[in-house]
Amino acid sequence: MRFRHPDGTTVHLAYCTNVHPAETLDGVLTQLRDHCEPVRRRLGRDRLGVGLWLARDAARALDTDPAALRGLRTALDRRGLEVVTLNGFPYEGFGAEEVKYRVYKPDWADTERLEHTTALARVLAGLLPDDVTEGTISTLPLGWRTAWNAARAATARSALRTLAERLDALEELTGRSVRVGLEPEPGCAVETTADTLAPLAAVGHPRIGVCVDTCHLATSFEDPDTALDALAEAGVPVVKSQLSAALHAERPRLPAVREALAAFDEPRFLHQTRTLAASGLRGTDDLGEALGGTALPDTGPWRAHFHVPLHAAPAPPLTSTLPVLKAALTRLVGGPHPLTRHLEVETYTWQALPSELRPRARAQLTDGIAAELGLARDLLTDLGLKELP
């Protein structure tokens, strides 16, 4: 979906396909048929943006076989779909029964992360629509904190500088500009937007910036204006933004609230949980850890890294951080000029929701994703952007 900003800029809205498990190119093509095109039809649009997640095997197939890449581009065109952004955070196995800490491997101190992201950039350059010359990729925020040290940080900085050089060369070769954004996430070496400033200054290249995920921003209790002001002051580009909402519990001390939270404690994904105490931000690596002991103070609100559907906040006594998303979006695209041109709805946890909230059929999932995109569309038009055909 495309929108015209009042300054004349085109802003792209997509939804991320990491909600649909697929490790191979055949799996990606099936996603387009079974999920992406039905969402487009449900919205009544001639064209729908999709933020592809390409796992290792799919990315390698597309990068090494020009015919396969042309075939994917043809399939996208035939189904009324377009790609301007990729989710390069998960490497493989994102549809596994247990993902948890595995999603942070390989990290940016591992050569495979550099090679995978380079391959994604080459693929994206070949998938961009004919009238689009800029693509974006989101990637993990260096690595998980417990394995991070000065030596690994130095290796990661070197890898990112190499990536920037490769992206420069790619533009010279293809005329397509690709930028990559570190996506701050609780528990990682880069947990907040403020944490991006030092490593990105060390890399020192405008092709490497930040992907602002509004669920992660909210989970860490970051104020959107403060966070985006700091990025702007440091000259760090917001490469893309993922529109998502976290789980919010206003009074976690109450038994009924804890019982409601426990329904979201599931075995597949990591749900980092945070609270803002007098001593600063406190947290646990997972929701179960917060519920099961005294590791997290319960005198103030808790927020958990659980991407809840944008249009359907959990029932009381829980809610979502949709207000943080709205505030961030207002700042990102509601000003005289957009701070980013690529927006991506990223709710990958539909099948991890409590059983009574989980879609039971493909059509229900299609309806849910379409409803999220519809809400995002309304937010953009309320900010003065005009939806394009």
Side-chain angles (χ1 to χ4, degrees):
M1 300 167 76
R2 299 187 184 191
F3 297 80
R4 182 76 70 204
H5 189 274
D7 76 346
T9 302
T10 299
V11 173
H12 294 263
L13 172 67
Y15 96 88
C16 187
T17 63
N18 63 353
V19 62
H20 312 302
E23 298 290 320
T24 65
L25 178 54
D26 285 343
V28 172
L29 293 170
T30 299
Q31 287 178 343
L32 304 184
R33 181 195 69 201
D34 291 350
H35 299 288
C36 301
E37 185 177 10
V39 169
R40 177 184 66 76
R41 293 184 181 278
R42 177 67 177 80
L43 286 166
R45 305 299 300 160
D46 293 333
R47 174 173 52 191
L48 177 70
V50 290
L52 284 183
W53 171 58
L54 299 174
R56 179 196 63 178
D57 290 347
R60 286 180 180 175
L62 291 165
D63 186 41
T64 58
D65 185 350
L69 185 58
R70 289 193 299 270
L72 176 57
R73 174 69 184 273
T74 298
L76 288 164
D77 292 342
R78 185 174 68 251
R79 298 190 184 282
L81 308 170
E82 67 177 13
V83 174
V84 301
T85 190
L86 301 179
N87 186 334
F89 194 137
Y91 177 70
E92 62 182 346
F94 201 61
E97 291 185 4
E98 182 178 333
V99 178
K100 297 291 185 181
Y101 295 96
R102 291 190 293 170
V103 75
Y104 307 107
K105 292 292 186 179
D107 62 29
W108 273 101
D110 188 321
T111 302
E112 183 51 38
R113 176 60 65 171
L114 171 61
E115 299 308 321
H116 177 61
T117 309
T118 302
L120 290 177
R122 289 193 290 257
V123 169
L124 180 57
L127 292 178
L128 290 176
D130 291 339
D131 62 343
V132 175
T133 59
E134 296 184 1
T136 58
I137 301 171
S138 49
T139 189
L140 84 163
L142 302 184
W144 187 253
R145 71 182 190 285
T146 56
W148 211 246
N149 55 39
R152 296 183 71 78
T155 301
R157 288 194 297 270
S158 178
L160 289 169
R161 284 192 287 265
T162 298
L163 175 66
E165 293 169 358
R166 293 178 179 181
L167 296 177
D168 284 342
L170 182 65
E171 183 173 15
E172 290 182 13
L173 179 66
T174 66
R176 305 295 180 90
S177 173
V178 176
R179 295 187 297 163
V180 174
L182 302 182
E183 182 186 329
E185 177 169 313
C188 293
V190 171
E191 175 158 341
T192 67
T193 52
D195 293 337
T196 66
L197 303 183
L200 290 180
V203 173
H205 199 291
R207 290 199 190 275
I208 312 298
V210 173
C211 168
V212 175
D213 183 303
T214 58
C215 171
H216 302 173
L217 190 80
T219 301
S220 293
F221 286 84
E222 289 195 81
D223 173 70
D225 287 329
T226 302
L228 294 170
D229 280 346
L231 293 176
E233 185 176 346
V236 174
V238 180
V239 167
K240 65 184 279 190
S241 179
Q242 289 172 325
L243 306 183
S244 52
L247 188 63
H248 180 95
E250 185 66 23
R251 303 176 69 186
R253 176 168 289 186
L254 298 180
V257 176
R258 286 179 172 259
E259 182 180 356
L261 283 170
F264 288 84
D265 179 26
E266 54 83 37
R268 179 177 297 179
F269 300 112
L270 204 61
H271 301 298
Q272 302 94 312
T273 305
R274 299 289 184 267
T275 190
L276 196 57
S279 58
L281 194 65
R282 298 279 300 277
T284 60
D285 283 356
D286 214 345
L287 178 57
E289 183 184 351
L291 291 169
T294 59
L296 205 61
D298 59 7
T299 54
W302 285 3
R303 290 177 178 173
H305 173 218
F306 194 118
H307 291 223
V308 296
L310 303 186
H311 67 294
L318 304 179
T319 186
S320 81
T321 60
L322 184 63
V324 177
L325 182 159
K326 292 179 177 179
L329 191 61
T330 298
R331 183 61 190 281
L332 287 167
V333 300
H337 305 288
L339 301 184
T340 186
R341 293 183 294 276
H342 291 178
L343 305 171
E344 179 182 58
V345 171
E346 195 214 12
T347 305
Y348 58 83
T349 44
W350 280 94
Q351 298 302 335
L353 289 167
S355 58
E356 67 274 12
L357 303 177
R358 223 171 282 164
R360 298 297 181 184
R362 188 183 299 166
Q364 288 180 298
L365 180 58
T366 296
D367 289 346
I369 293 170
E372 288 193 290
L373 286 166
L375 182 146
R377 174 181 57 198
D378 291 345
L379 293 177
L380 291 173
T381 56
D382 287 347
L383 290 171
L385 282 73
K386 180 181 179 181
E387 187 175 7
L388 299 175

